[in-house]
Amino acid sequence: MRTPLLLLALLWQPGLHAAMLTIGTGGEQGIYYQVIKEFCRLAQKSDPGSQCKPQASSGSIENLHLLQTGDIPYALVQSDWLYQASNGTGPFAQKPQPELRTLFATHAEPFTIVVRADGDITTLAQLKLAPIDMGLKHSGTRQTALALFNALGTREQDLDLKSVANLSEALCSKQIDAYGLVMGHPNRIVLETAKRCAIRFLPIEGETRDQLIKGVKYYQRSQVPARIYPGNLKATPTFAIAATLVTNAATPDEDVYRLTKAMLSRQTSFNEQTYGYANLFHKARNKMGPVLSVTQHPGAAKYFEELKAAGKL
């Protein structure tokens, strides 16, 4: 009789059956889903009691809504949408979420404008007269594109905005002259386009970029990395938002601390085949501070304070 009792005692040890945390991401084929899946793999490897999994969604806005209703405890969201939700601006004016808190930023998502290498578009100003796709009307990409065009003095109604089903095919067949995406690199759509036709990226730099990011917490200087797409040998300057792991202020400090530590303590084992790896914030100091658009959760802050005290930050 002692053996069954021993087995029962083992089965009920704390931590062996930790609750599985769900983290809102994006579509199952998207970068957010892949990045969180990898961070959860690292978390369980580091701390078997920290078990999490990605939950597919339509993206940042749905994730923020699910956080507000308590349907999920954590989510990965764009820093610009996060800032607006926390401050009750834009689409969140009627339902602000001041309770949002960050854990850390996972990777940069540069705003990337793709054109044909043999096309006539060489400057941002030329986009005003061209058929272009800058995302769906209410998407994060469209919002970011309009912020750029506003800095250029161009109104939405002055643009020839299209909405195509297949960006790669549309660009290479000359249905459109450019498309823009907020994306981590490498990106499947860009790779597919590069296989169909030669491409390049439009730089966003100088006064235009300076004006765009001045006084804005959710944008930062960035670049499209070199040598990850055929023919693109040099990095292209642009700006980016930060994909940010968030929760609510009510989430217990110890829970947030444990998850943050578990996710980050073995990041040297991150799968380099994961899409978005090229823009991953590899160093701890780049996951916090100015890159975060809202207040950091005390539980996450505790982990970074420990890194600092140990001389690792």
Side-chain angles (χ1 to χ4, degrees), residues 90 106 138 146 159 246 303:
T106 62
H138 298 292
L146 292 179
L159 298 168
V246 299
Y303 173 71

Side-chain angles (χ1 to χ4, degrees), residues 55-308:
Q55 177 174 309
S57 75
S58 62
S60 295
I61 292 182
E62 181 183 358
N63 289 340
L64 289 164
H65 173 72
L66 293 172
L67 279 172
Q68 189 172 45
T69 58
D71 290 313
I72 56 175
Y74 300 91
L76 190 62
V77 302
Q78 292 182 196
S79 56
D80 49 356
W81 288 118
L82 173 60
Y83 179 86
Q84 291 187 57
S86 179
N87 289 274
T89 60
F92 304 94
Q94 301 303 317
K95 288 187 176 182
Q97 297 176 240
E99 71 281 1
L100 290 167
R101 297 293 183 269
T102 62
L103 278 71
F104 57 91
T106 62
H107 64 283
E109 295 194 295
F111 183 65
T112 306
I113 300 178
V114 185
V115 298
R116 292 186 302 277
D118 63 355
D120 297 328
I121 304 296
T122 58
T123 67
L124 294 173
Q126 290 174 300
L127 295 174
K128 180 178 179 180
L129 304 175
I132 58 177
D133 190 311
M134 293 290 149
L136 297 173
K137 188 171 181 61
H138 298 292
S139 67
T141 289
R142 176 69 66 89
Q143 173 186 308
T144 306
L146 292 179
L148 170 62
F149 285 116
N150 182 63
L152 293 168
T154 302
R155 301 175 300 172
E156 182 175 7
Q157 54 265 42
D158 296 328
L159 298 168
D160 185 9
L161 293 170
K162 308 295 184 182
S163 183
V164 300
N166 188 313
L167 290 171
S168 302
E169 180 182 354
L171 183 73
C172 293
S173 65
K174 301 182 180 181
Q175 297 175 47
I176 57 175
D177 288 336
Y179 66 77
L181 287 173
V182 176
M183 64 176 86
H185 291 282
N187 177 273
R188 283 194 178 94
I189 296 175
V190 179
L191 284 170
E192 181 183 338
T193 307
K195 291 178 182 178
R196 288 174 175 263
C197 62
I199 63 170
R200 52 188 171 79
F201 305 110
L202 285 188
I204 304 171
E205 56 189 338
E207 291 184 7
T208 298
R209 183 169 66 175
D210 291 345
Q211 179 183 344
L212 187 66
I213 67 177
K214 183 179 180 180
V216 176
K217 293 190 67 174
Y218 44 81
Y219 292 149
Q220 58 183 296
R221 287 176 176 81
S222 188
Q223 62 183 15
V224 180
R227 300 181 182 276
I228 58 174
Y229 301 107
N232 286 278
L233 303 180
K234 295 182 179 181
T236 305
T238 183
F239 67 100
I241 60 94
T244 309
L245 185 59
V246 299
T247 188
N248 290 315
T251 307
D253 291 4
E254 183 58 31
D255 292 353
V256 176
Y257 168 79
R258 184 175 183 180
L259 181 63
T260 303
K261 181 178 181 179
M263 282 184 161
L264 299 183
S265 60
R266 294 199 182 189
Q267 198 180 329
T268 53
S269 301
F270 202 96
N271 178 11
E272 294 186 17
Q273 300 305 310
T274 300
Y275 277 82
Y277 182 84
N279 296 111
L280 201 72
F281 293 127
H282 297 275
K283 296 182 178 179
R285 67 174 180 268
N286 296 328
K287 299 175 185 294
M288 51 179 293
V291 73
L292 302 179
S293 60
V294 304
T295 303
Q296 191 173 40
H297 193 287
K302 176 184 176 182
Y303 173 71
F304 287 103
E305 287 167 1
E306 289 179 354
L307 289 182
K308 185 176 181 179

Side-chain angles (χ1 to χ4, degrees), residues 1-11:
M1 294 297 293
R2 296 181 65 182
T3 300
L5 289 174
L6 177 61
L7 288 174
L8 184 62
L10 289 172
L11 288 172

